[in-house]
């Protein structure tokens, strides 16, 4: 499985905080929204395998739902196209990814196919999270994802936000990051513009 954020360094950050969640909570519940080729959830599945921790991976498994972009001409709508061109679309499918997870007996990785909606967490049975990565690239899906995460993030849990830094990277995402900080519900622990990653800890 392909770990897309390995190239920019964000994967090293997210796996570090997935490990911290394991140490802090023992049997963590996590979710990644926007998993692309699945390398991130695969790595966390391996990391948490000796515990009863579970990592959920949400994705369309078909590529970006560009119709959800605020503009079909916006950078957010086509920012993944170079990766699709480079890696191909076949290994994006949920069937392929599930097969790879099954080969490794990673039963603690649960893939959820479809667009994020108001009931995504409810339907998956998620009532609490200790680790979460939001990496949906587009402002509308990212905003909806935040509304799902907000009521279920446990105190001390880690919320990772990709593509929200630096300010000019993807229009709108930095603003969402600032809105989350302004709630006063989180402490900033990482802001790494070179890797486009932010990590917040729930107070």
């Amino acid at each position: 499985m392909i770990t897309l954020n390995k190239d920019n360094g964000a994967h090293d950050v997210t796996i570090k905080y997935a490990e911290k969640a394991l140490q802090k909570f023992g049997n963590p519940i996590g979710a990644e929204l926007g998993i692309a080729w699945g390398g991130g959830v695969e790595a966390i599945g391996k990391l948490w395998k000796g515990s009863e921790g579970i990592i959920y991976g949400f994705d369309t498994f078909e590529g970006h739902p560009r119709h959800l972009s605020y503009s079909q001409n916006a950078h957010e709508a086509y920012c993944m196209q170079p990766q699709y061109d480079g890696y191909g679309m076949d290994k994006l499918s949920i069937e392929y990814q599930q097969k790879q997870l099954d080969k490794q007996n990673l039963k603690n990785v649960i893939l959820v196919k479809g667009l994020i909606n108001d009931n995504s967490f409810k339907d998956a049975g998620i009532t609490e999270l200790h680790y979460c990565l939001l990496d949906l690239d587009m402002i509308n899906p990212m905003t909806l994802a935040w509304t799902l995460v907000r009521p279920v993030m446990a105190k001390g849990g880690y919320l990772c936000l990709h593509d929200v830094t630096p300010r000019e990277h993807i229009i709108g995402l930095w603003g969402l990051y600032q809105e989350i900080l302004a709630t006063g519900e989180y402490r900033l622990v990482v802001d790494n513009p070179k890797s486009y990653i932010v990590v917040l800890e729930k107070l």
Side-chain angles (χ1 to χ4, degrees), residues 162-167 169 174 177 191-193 195-198:
H162 197 243
D163 294 316
V164 301
T165 188
R167 182 172 186 165
H169 178 52
W174 187 86
Y177 161 36
D191 184 330
N192 187 335
S195 296
Y196 313 115
I197 191 76
V198 162

Side-chain angles (χ1 to χ4, degrees), residues 109-179:
V109 182
I110 299 174
L111 303 181
V112 184
K113 180 178 171 62
L115 296 176
I116 299 299
N117 62 73
D118 291 338
N119 295 315
S120 290
F121 281 6
K122 180 181 177 181
D123 292 344
I126 296 173
T127 58
E128 185 173 57
L129 286 175
H130 307 107
Y131 163 87
C132 186
L133 168 65
L134 302 185
D135 193 6
L136 297 167
D137 300 334
M138 296 184 283
I139 182 61
N140 291 328
M142 284 282 282
T143 301
L144 176 57
W146 156 241
T147 68
L148 297 178
V149 172
R150 189 175 186 181
V152 300
M153 182 61 71
K155 182 178 179 180
Y158 299 105
L159 174 60
C160 305
L161 306 170
H162 197 243
D163 294 316
V164 301
T165 188
R167 182 172 186 165
E168 66 277 4
H169 178 52
I170 295 181
I171 292 173
L173 295 188
W174 187 86
L176 176 62
Y177 161 36
Q178 298 308 303
E179 288 177 23

Side-chain angles (χ1 to χ4, degrees), residues 64-66 68-81 136-142 169-173:
H64 260 177
R66 292 178 179 173
L68 298 180
S69 177
Y70 68 87
S71 169
Q72 296 304 294
N73 296 318
H75 173 57
E76 67 169 27
Y78 61 86
C79 62
M80 282 287 291
Q81 194 57 50
L136 297 167
D137 300 334
M138 296 184 283
I139 182 61
N140 291 328
M142 284 282 282
H169 178 52
I170 295 181
I171 292 173
L173 295 188

